Amino acid sequence: MKLRIYILTIIGLLFSGLLKAQFPSTTQEGGSAFPTNGFPTENQKDKDAKKAANSNGRIGLDDSTKVVYGPTSTRYFLEEDVVNNRKRLYNIDTIIDGIHNYNFVQRNKNLYQDLGNLGTAIRPVFYKAPEQIGTLLGYDAYTLYTFKPNQVRYYNTKSPFTNIIYVPGGGEQDLLQFELSRNIDSLWNVGLNVQRITANKTLIDQTSTGDNSSIGHWDFMVHSNYQTKNKKYSLLAYLNLSDHNSNDQGGVVVETGRDYQGMLALADNRPILTVASTRDNSYNLHVYHEYVGYKAFQIFQNIDYQTRRVRFGDKGFSAAWQTGFYPYAFKANSETAYRYSADTSVTNHVVLDSLYNESKYTNFEVKTGIKGFYKGFNYRMHLRTRIYNYTNPLKPAYNISNKNENFLGLWLNQYFKDSTRVFGEVEFSTDLQNLRINGEFQGKWLNVGGSFISTPATLVQQRTYNNGFRWTGELDNVKTTNVYAYTNLKFKQLVLRPSADITKIASYAYFDTLAYVQQSKKDIEIYRVGLGFDFRKGHFSTTNQIYYTTTGDEDKLMRIPKLFANSRVAFDLLYRKKLFIQTGLEFHYKSSYYADAYMPAIQQFHLQDKQLIEGYLQADAFADMRINRVRIFVKFAHVNKGLLGNGYYASPGFAGMGRVLAFGVHWLLFD
């Protein structure tokens, strides 16, 4: 704790000093402003400031009235554009479209399933293959809430830039996001990002008088980018500290004589778990740097270091085991498993009162390679080396020390004069045990692509040890093959977006109805077709997306709703030529399916057959507004509650958020 206070103090002093000075950037006022190495170039207005340049080429402030600070003077770029030699700068987002979607499910177009509250455990609704090969930890229920390398915005600012988002989301949910960026001089920028997520419990234990908080999440990130005067060397880096705390509830206790739908009508519901909690904290250091000798030959390197500690504790384990929430129990220093049963001869066994699970993981990864481009052709080759350690304090025999994995990769991209594009990439381990292939053709009317990945099961799937879950053993690689096609068709004010997607999974690793790891011997096939359609005329607009999914899954291991739909209707208004307003309704529907349940002891979603998540249409009313650089929204979530039923379940045992009124503020400051 003292270390965190010390770090925050140092950073605060740094940025308080930065705010006392002003330095210009070399970002262009408009158009594409990236040179060949992906950094902003100097604009014509700033050339006059060269007279004030120091001998090292760094420029002081020309604080004249010609400089206008705002969204056009402050732009950002992403690391992936620098890596791929794309000349791209992004404007600061000032539009009001969709700003009311503050929670992580709706901002991701409802493609995720959480536990009905902001910051709770979350997973994709549709199957999602791993994004990289190699042995990963596998505790991913909260990783969506942390910063990722491809999400970090690197700025080159003309003035201090601040972005503040505050949302008292209703239903005792709060979201705060703070972003500050500041150029030290024309070559070096430093930024700070802070994210805070809090939420209170939705299930209340009437016997408890303690803390009612459910979620407490912190993200603290410092990032920086630097470029030499001759634009030969560039550096991007960030340090992220993430700490997620959750008071886990396990779901609702179903009273005698009631079913899950009947529980929705009750004002107060009791949770299964009352003294269980999770803490997941990590530290990530990421560095990317490159040297541009020639356009066709550049050297680049990625350096990543991550340390992570995941803990879960339940001091009421014995009582929860008696209810059947935990399927098995182990006595201390015993490998004998006791399955929960109504038979008293089983429950008379001595079961430990508490359950504790802990995993420590460190990963050091270096990716070094060459890249370049000539006219429309780009290439990239790399060697990636990673060394990881895994520690289970409860079972030292499961520990892994300094495990080394090496990979080789090749990426090719070709742009044609008619704006079509073809790219392909391949990466494989040097022992030929892991493989990833990806490719796509992007045409004027049709985009077609495919991928294949063969990668090991996660560490949590390979080895777990605590009072209720124990297994170890090598699993086969999970192999995923995917082919897809999509297009955009424009007919005046109407835009159609048909798509088709086929996925085949071999040796699928999953968690069964007892939350124990298993591996399928049969292949699983998933077929999905989609249709998006947008229409705009005058002040009216509507955006819609529908997916229909079916599986060739005889064992029903992949639980996906057959019908998935999003829809929005909106009207744009202008009040007194200053206040922009967009108001309307948003709808979301998923058909009935046996959604996966959540087991907090191992931070995994698993199969369940007890509760059918009924199909339900949810409607939200919203009004998004902007005046100058301040955006405000008001949202009446689940406005149709009581019209089509008492509500719905977001996950087994966890009801979705009820009717609540939320509002939020997005505030951009450029000086």
Side-chain angles (χ1 to χ4, degrees):
M1 184 67 182
K2 292 182 179 179
L3 177 61
R4 293 182 184 175
I5 295 174
Y6 176 76
I7 293 174
L8 288 171
T9 302
I10 294 298
I11 298 300
L13 291 173
L14 170 64
F15 278 91
S16 64
L18 295 178
L19 290 173
K20 295 178 181 179
Q22 291 185 342
F23 298 87
S25 75
T26 57
T27 307
Q28 287 187 342
E29 293 288 344
S32 178
F34 276 92
T36 56
N37 63 350
F39 271 75
T41 57
E42 192 172 76
N43 65 28
Q44 187 62 39
K45 290 184 179 180
D46 288 332
K47 289 182 179 180
D48 294 336
K50 283 186 175 181
K51 296 178 181 179
N54 298 324
S55 58
N56 62 358
R58 297 186 172 189
I59 303 172
L61 172 66
D62 176 20
D63 192 14
S64 68
T65 57
K66 294 185 297 181
V67 179
V68 179
Y69 301 132
T72 59
S73 66
T74 301
R75 296 183 180 183
Y76 67 90
F77 55 93
L78 303 176
E79 181 180 311
E80 63 179 353
D81 294 319
V82 178
V83 174
N84 294 327
N85 295 310
R86 287 197 290 255
K87 299 179 181 180
R88 183 174 298 174
L89 277 177
Y90 299 91
N91 291 321
I92 303 299
D93 189 4
T94 59
I95 64 174
I96 59 177
D97 188 21
I99 64 171
H100 59 277
N101 289 326
Y102 63 90
N103 71 44
F104 288 79
V105 171
Q106 292 180 332
R107 71 167 63 174
N108 285 283
K109 301 179 181 179
N110 296 299
L111 294 172
Y112 282 82
Q113 164 199 343
D114 65 2
L115 305 185
N117 208 354
L118 183 67
T120 53
I122 195 167
R123 69 180 292 270
V125 173
F126 300 102
Y127 173 76
K128 189 175 182 180
E131 296 180 353
Q132 69 176 50
I133 54 178
T135 307
L136 304 178
L137 180 59
Y139 287 98
D140 295 325
Y142 302 110
T143 56
L144 187 68
Y145 304 117
T146 62
F147 297 118
K148 309 296 187 302
N150 61 351
Q151 297 172 335
V152 179
R153 299 180 176 185
Y154 294 99
Y155 290 89
N156 198 328
T157 64
K158 290 182 177 298
S159 61
F161 168 66
T162 305
N163 183 14
I164 302 172
I165 300 175
Y166 177 59
V167 183
E172 299 178 308
Q173 306 174 98
D174 290 285
L175 172 67
L176 171 65
Q177 293 178 327
F178 175 83
E179 182 179 20
L180 172 65
S181 184
R182 165 79 268 183
N183 261 51
I184 304 298
D185 56 34
S186 60
L187 304 176
W188 180 23
N189 178 275
V190 178
L192 169 69
N193 289 71
V194 177
Q195 178 177 250
R196 175 64 169 165
I197 303 172
T198 61
N200 281 356
K201 296 176 180 178
T202 55
L203 301 173
I204 304 300
D205 180 12
Q206 301 299 327
T207 64
S208 176
T209 58
D211 184 13
N212 193 36
S213 65
S214 172
I215 300 296
H217 177 92
W218 276 104
D219 264 305
F220 180 86
M221 180 177 68
V222 178
H223 62 82
S224 182
N225 68 86
Y226 169 78
Q227 183 184 47
T228 58
K229 178 185 176 183
N230 62 7
K231 299 181 175 59
K232 294 290 186 181
Y233 177 77
S234 305
L235 172 71
L236 312 176
Y238 74 83
L239 173 65
N240 181 42
L241 286 67
S242 179
D243 192 354
H244 190 98
N245 294 270
S246 172
N247 290 320
D248 301 293
Q249 299 190 282
V252 64
V253 175
V254 180
E255 297 179 355
T256 304
R258 290 184 177 269
D259 58 12
Y260 282 101
Q261 291 301 118
M263 299 301 295
L264 288 172
L266 301 182
D268 297 318
N269 288 319
R270 293 184 296 116
I272 297 173
L273 306 180
T274 58
V275 286
S277 63
T278 295
R279 186 172 186 183
D280 188 342
N281 59 295
S282 63
Y283 303 87
N284 297 272
L285 174 64
H286 174 81
V287 177
Y288 172 83
H289 60 145
E290 67 178 28
Y291 180 79
V292 180
Y294 303 95
K295 293 181 179 180
F297 185 82
Q298 308 167 22
I299 301 172
F300 72 95
Q301 187 176 63
N302 264 338
I303 302 173
D304 287 277
Y305 176 75
Q306 178 192 52
T307 177
R308 191 170 172 199
R309 188 181 182 191
V310 181
R311 287 163 285 175
F312 172 81
D314 184 3
K315 296 181 179 179
F317 170 67
S318 180
W321 180 73
Q322 297 286 350
T323 68
F325 181 78
Y326 299 111
Y328 290 97
F330 296 85
K331 292 191 296 183
N333 302 318
S334 171
E335 297 297 329
T336 303
Y338 299 106
R339 172 81 181 275
Y340 168 77
S341 171
D343 187 349
T344 57
S345 64
V346 175
T347 59
N348 284 337
H349 285 293
V350 178
V351 177
L352 295 180
D353 291 333
S354 63
L355 182 150
Y356 183 73
N357 185 62
E358 180 176 345
S359 293
K360 297 179 181 178
Y361 175 78
T362 62
N363 176 45
F364 178 71
E365 180 173 306
V366 177
K367 181 165 70 173
T368 305
I370 60 174
K371 65 188 182 80
F373 70 96
Y374 179 73
K375 295 185 178 179
F377 176 73
N378 287 40
Y379 76 93
R380 187 170 65 246
M381 295 184 290
H382 71 260
L383 168 65
R384 180 165 65 97
T385 299
R386 63 191 304 264
I387 301 173
Y388 69 88
N389 294 271
Y390 173 79
T391 303
N392 186 326
L394 305 178
K395 191 69 171 179
Y398 284 10
N399 295 351
I400 300 175
S401 179
N402 295 326
K403 180 64 178 295
N404 180 255
E405 295 179 332
N406 297 292
F407 307 90
L408 294 172
L410 173 66
W411 179 86
L412 300 174
N413 179 83
Q414 177 67 57
Y415 285 99
F416 297 95
K417 293 183 179 180
D418 60 353
S419 300
T420 59
R421 177 195 179 204
V422 178
F423 77 87
E425 60 181 327
V426 59
E427 187 180 41
F428 57 91
S429 59
T430 54
D431 61 4
L432 303 180
Q433 297 301 307
N434 305 313
L435 175 64
R436 181 174 66 92
I437 302 174
N438 184 34
E440 183 173 325
F441 168 79
Q442 298 177 352
K444 288 185 176 181
W445 306 105
L446 181 65
N447 296 345
V448 180
S451 64
F452 172 81
I453 185 168
S454 174
T455 191
T458 63
L459 288 172
V460 68
Q461 292 172 334
Q462 295 186 42
R463 52 191 69 202
T464 291
Y465 186 96
N466 57 49
N467 295 345
F469 300 92
R470 296 180 184 177
W471 58 74
T472 184
E474 297 295 330
L475 300 178
D476 295 335
N477 275 18
V478 180
K479 305 175 184 64
T480 304
T481 304
N482 174 248
V483 293
Y484 59 89
Y486 63 96
T487 186
N488 289 336
L489 304 174
K490 297 182 180 180
F491 305 94
K492 294 183 179 181
Q493 291 90 0
L494 177 65
V495 178
L496 299 178
R497 304 186 307 276
S499 63
D501 190 288
I502 301 175
T503 302
K504 182 177 181 180
I505 311 167
S507 302
Y508 176 55
Y510 65 98
F511 294 87
D512 62 17
T513 55
L514 299 178
Y516 259 61
V517 69
Q518 303 289 347
Q519 190 159 45
S520 175
K521 297 181 180 179
K522 299 179 181 179
D523 294 349
I524 299 175
E525 296 177 346
I526 305 171
Y527 306 92
R528 186 178 72 189
V529 294
L531 177 63
F533 54 97
D534 306 337
F535 178 78
R536 175 178 292 273
K537 186 173 183 180
H539 298 290
F540 172 80
S541 64
T542 179
T543 301
N544 308 272
Q545 180 67 58
I546 300 174
Y547 291 113
Y548 178 80
T549 306
T550 183
T551 66
D553 181 12
E554 298 178 358
D555 297 326
K556 301 185 184 304
L557 304 180
M558 192 68 63
R559 312 289 177 86
I560 300 174
K562 285 192 173 183
L563 188 61
F564 175 103
N566 290 325
S567 181
R568 180 177 68 188
V569 292
F571 292 89
D572 295 316
L573 306 171
L574 178 61
Y575 180 72
R576 291 186 179 270
K577 299 182 180 181
K578 291 184 178 181
L579 179 61
F580 295 87
I581 305 173
Q582 184 180 86
T583 183
L585 291 170
E586 280 190 339
F587 303 91
H588 173 62
Y589 175 80
K590 287 194 292 285
S591 58
S592 301
Y593 73 117
Y594 284 94
D596 286 357
Y598 180 64
M599 173 52 68
I602 54 174
Q603 204 180 109
Q604 303 296 319
F605 284 84
H606 64 93
L607 300 179
Q608 62 87 28
D609 297 318
K610 296 180 179 179
Q611 182 184 356
L612 178 69
I613 303 299
E614 301 285 352
Y616 186 80
L617 178 67
Q618 179 189 346
D620 298 335
F622 66 89
D624 300 336
M625 295 162 279
R626 178 173 68 86
I627 181 168
N628 294 328
R629 295 167 184 170
V630 178
R631 291 175 290 172
I632 303 172
F633 75 82
V634 179
K635 179 177 180 177
F636 199 3
H638 201 174
V639 67
N640 62 318
K641 182 180 179 181
L643 298 178
L644 302 176
N646 292 317
Y648 67 99
Y649 280 90
S651 288
F654 292 92
M657 186 61 63
R659 187 189 296 116
V660 295
L661 182 66
F663 70 93
V665 178
H666 293 215
W667 195 358
L668 298 175
L669 301 172
F670 294 95
D671 48 28

